[in-house]
Each structure stands twice: as C-alpha cells, then as structure tokens.
Amino acid sequence: MDEISKLLMSDKHAVAIYHTKEPVEGTGFLSEEHCCLPGLFFPAVRDGKTACANREQLKCSGAWSGLGLGGFGSKDSMTVSYSQGTPDKPGRKLFLDPECARKEFDMVKTYGSADDYVVCEPVDVAESKGADIEVVVFLVDPIRMFALADMVNFSRRAPGSAVKYVNAYACEQLYALAKAEGESDDPIGIVGLSEFFVRKFCSPEEMTFAVPYKLYKRIVADSSKSFLITDKWKDAVQSKKSSCCD
C-alpha cells in the first residue's frame, strides 16, 4: 500500500495510470462489462491488481478518448445525444443544447495512439517497476476527498480552487483531464465518477480524485509536514470525536 493511502487510513490503493506498447505480462482486461472501469480501475484500486487493455478490448469508444488511446474522432454526435437529442432519438438531457455540451467536451484533450495499451496498477507497484506514470487516481469518500484537496493547496503559492469538475465520461475524469493538469505550472485535482451509468459499480459516497503524477509526488513530499500525521486527522477520519472543536 502506498504512503498516502496509509495516511488517509484508506483500504483502497492509489492507482497509477500509464501506457505501454505491449501488454503487461500476467494481466488483462478483467471484466465483461461495457464500461472500462470494472475491468481496469476497480480491480486495481480495490484489489491491488494490475490490469491493462487496448482499443480492441474496450467496448466503450469513450475510453479511447478518456484513457489516452488516440480518441475517437468528431464529437459532433455526442453534443446532440448528451443534450436534447433529435425528434427520433431523445438525448440524455445533460445539457441545454449542443453548444453547451461542446464547451465541456472540448476541455478533454486527446492523448496516446491507437496501438497503445493503458495500464492501471497500484502506484507503489508501478513505481517499483520504474513505469512512466502519468496520472494517479484515488477512490475516496468525501472526507478523504477534502483531505486530498487540502494537500493540493498545502504548499501551493497560487490562489484558487484545488479541484476541478468537468461533466465528462468517468474515464476522462480518471485520466485525460488529470493528464492535462500535468501540463500546467499550477496543477490541481480532478473530481470524478459522476457519470450516472458508472455509479452502479460503486457505493453512494465514493468518488475519484485524480492528479498528474508530478502533483502526486508533491503531495507525498508534503505529507510528513501536514495534518495527515496528526491525531486530529486520525480522530476525524475515524469519526471518534463528538465535537469539531475538541
């Protein structure tokens, strides 16, 4: 188990996401579900397994964009289906109109290529292999999400929010949006797991918190000087205190 997950007093693994040109030996896509998360992310975060897949193994083309496998071309049809749809095929009504949808979808950059494999693996295992880690993702409840957000701001000099939320595919919230934060001089965390379909695979309080690897490393370096080592944090996360001011 990685050090930050231990300090968070979590039984979930922080998951590294990276890419290779060949499948990782002894792993595979560990689910028959259409959604990519049950076969990639959840086995890694909950069970400490390593999972990998390429485009051919992923049934959801959204994962080609969300997980850095070269994207899937034009998003024009998505802007219609995620807004009001057409007279023949009603949309999901997540946006008022296609232009409102497009402004969110355009925030998701395309990474990788069609011949890549995407790997989800506990971050401590990936680091021990010397993997070229791009993003680290936590599966957390609200108190741990806020703790990670506080750690983003712990040694940050710039003002502003420690987190960003974009109405996107769950896999885009895991990887592509956090990868883009790594290109910033002031990266922040991405809160995710908001996609309605994916919620059936997790408990009501669970969400993801994704950060570029360089921000994860900063959080690790800062952690020994932070509230994460205090008794107040331990008491709060274990809900032992009866007063917030004790």
Side-chain angles (χ1 to χ4, degrees), residues 165-170 173 191-199 208:
Y165 169 73
V166 177
N167 189 351
Y169 289 141
Q173 295 166 339
V191 175
L193 215 58
S194 63
E195 191 178 0
F196 298 157
F197 174 79
V198 179
R199 295 304 309 177
T208 53

Side-chain angles (χ1 to χ4, degrees), residues 200-238:
K200 70 180 183 179
F201 301 116
C202 56
S203 64
E205 72 276 7
E206 287 180 329
M207 64 192 82
T208 53
F209 192 90
V211 294
Y213 185 53
K214 69 178 182 181
L215 178 52
Y216 171 78
K217 295 296 288 182
R218 192 180 84 200
I219 291 172
V220 171
D222 287 344
S223 62
S224 63
K225 303 179 284 290
S226 77
F227 65 90
L228 290 176
I229 66 170
T230 67
D231 289 337
K232 280 188 175 292
W233 163 249
K234 295 173 185 176
D235 289 342
V237 79
Q238 293 175 325

Side-chain angles (χ1 to χ4, degrees), residues 35-49:
C35 176
C36 65
L37 270 68
L40 287 172
F41 176 65
F42 288 136
V45 75
R46 290 178 175 150
D47 303 321
K49 295 181 179 179

